[in-house]
Amino acid sequence: MKALRVEVTAWTASFRYGGFMIGIQPTLPMPPLSTLYGLLSAAAGRPMTPHDTFLAYTFRSEGSTVDLERIMEVEPGVGGKWNVINREWVYQPHLTLYVNPKMRPHFEKPYFPLLLGRSSDLASIHSIKEVELQEVSSRESSTFGHSIYTHPPAGYRRTTMYALPVYFTDDIPRVAVGTRPFMMVTEAYEGHGEGVRDPDVGLTMELFTAESLGLGNPSQNN
């Protein structure tokens, strides 16, 4: 299948892990789908969801560290106050994104600035190229990892499971849609499982669509 491969880089990135609220704000090891649909929405200038494009990706960074960050805590109707938290972030992130080729004009001239996490994590597009993804069957041995899966292919040694939404609505207040377990595999390994593979990169990824995520009927999304 044809796909648009978009390589996105930045200096820093932090993907908020909502399970922690006190002491330190850790980062997820890679962006959740909701962050990527936010990135697509910024590029297109309108809300983008799994109903608009398929999506697959790989993600790497050079490491992570923790730094102090000054934030404003706001309570509606009351006001805000300044606070200082420990924020974990990754550096030199590199995202390889695969989407519908029809998205090309949006990445050639993004409508809004592209971010990888916080408003200060400004991202830039390194390259855009149309590629042919190979379909991988469950009987085939392949290299997996550096990506996110709803069902990790057999053979992985360890991974961490997170309950994450697929995307957020554009309403106020926003509503999380499609929350389910996702596994973020940060290492490469040989395994068996279905997916798509970019022969130039050599990694097999899960291809996310509205149908594969069980979001085919918009009335059942919430």
Side-chain angles (χ1 to χ4, degrees):
M1 65 176 294
K2 293 189 180 301
L4 189 70
R5 184 176 69 201
V6 184
E7 293 189 71
V8 181
T9 60
W11 286 351
T12 63
S14 182
F15 310 113
R16 188 174 183 276
Y17 182 21
F20 288 78
M21 295 296 292
I22 299 174
I24 183 172
Q25 180 59 67
T27 179
L28 294 167
M30 61 184 67
L33 293 186
S34 57
T35 293
L36 298 182
Y37 283 111
L39 182 78
L40 298 180
S41 301
R46 62 181 178 84
M48 296 291 292
T49 73
H51 300 286
D52 299 298
T53 178
F54 62 81
L55 185 154
Y57 78 91
T58 66
F59 181 85
R60 288 185 174 88
S61 70
E62 296 297 323
S64 65
T65 189
V66 176
D67 200 359
L68 295 176
E69 183 178 82
R70 187 173 185 238
I71 64 170
M72 170 70 81
E73 297 177 336
V74 178
E75 185 176 351
V78 177
K81 63 178 181 180
W82 290 105
N83 197 1
V84 177
I85 64 169
N86 289 291
R87 171 84 69 179
E88 184 183 25
W89 46 275
V90 302
Y91 52 92
Q92 298 298 323
H94 189 130
L95 168 70
T96 303
L97 187 64
Y98 300 87
V99 294
N100 191 309
K102 293 181 179 178
M103 289 286 298
R104 186 175 193 122
H106 302 314
F107 285 103
E108 291 179 334
K109 191 176 182 180
Y111 194 91
F112 292 111
L114 302 182
L115 306 173
L116 264 182
R118 302 167 298 176
S119 59
S120 57
D121 296 319
L122 187 63
S124 59
I125 296 174
H126 180 70
S127 68
I128 305 173
K129 183 180 181 180
E130 189 168 315
V131 297
E132 187 77 22
L133 295 179
Q134 302 170 335
E135 293 189 16
V136 177
S137 72
S138 59
R139 299 183 301 276
E140 184 178 351
S141 177
S142 186
T143 304
F144 298 86
H146 298 293
S147 192
I148 188 172
Y149 303 90
T150 53
H151 298 88
Y156 68 95
R157 290 175 296 179
R158 62 175 183 174
T159 186
T160 304
M161 181 184 297
Y162 302 91
L164 301 168
V166 174
Y167 69 94
F168 289 89
T169 66
D170 197 34
D171 306 319
I172 302 296
R174 297 191 301 165
V175 177
V177 178
T179 300
R180 70 199 63 207
F182 287 97
M183 277 145 273
M184 295 182 167
V185 184
T186 58
E187 298 176 345
Y189 70 94
E190 294 297 316
H192 294 267
E194 295 181 351
V196 292
R197 177 175 56 212
D198 180 351
D200 295 335
V201 177
L203 291 173
T204 298
M205 307 155 286
E206 182 167 341
L207 184 72
F208 298 102
T209 66
E211 182 179 8
S212 73
L213 292 164
L215 302 175
N217 184 348
S219 64
Q220 298 177 351
N221 286 356
N222 296 333

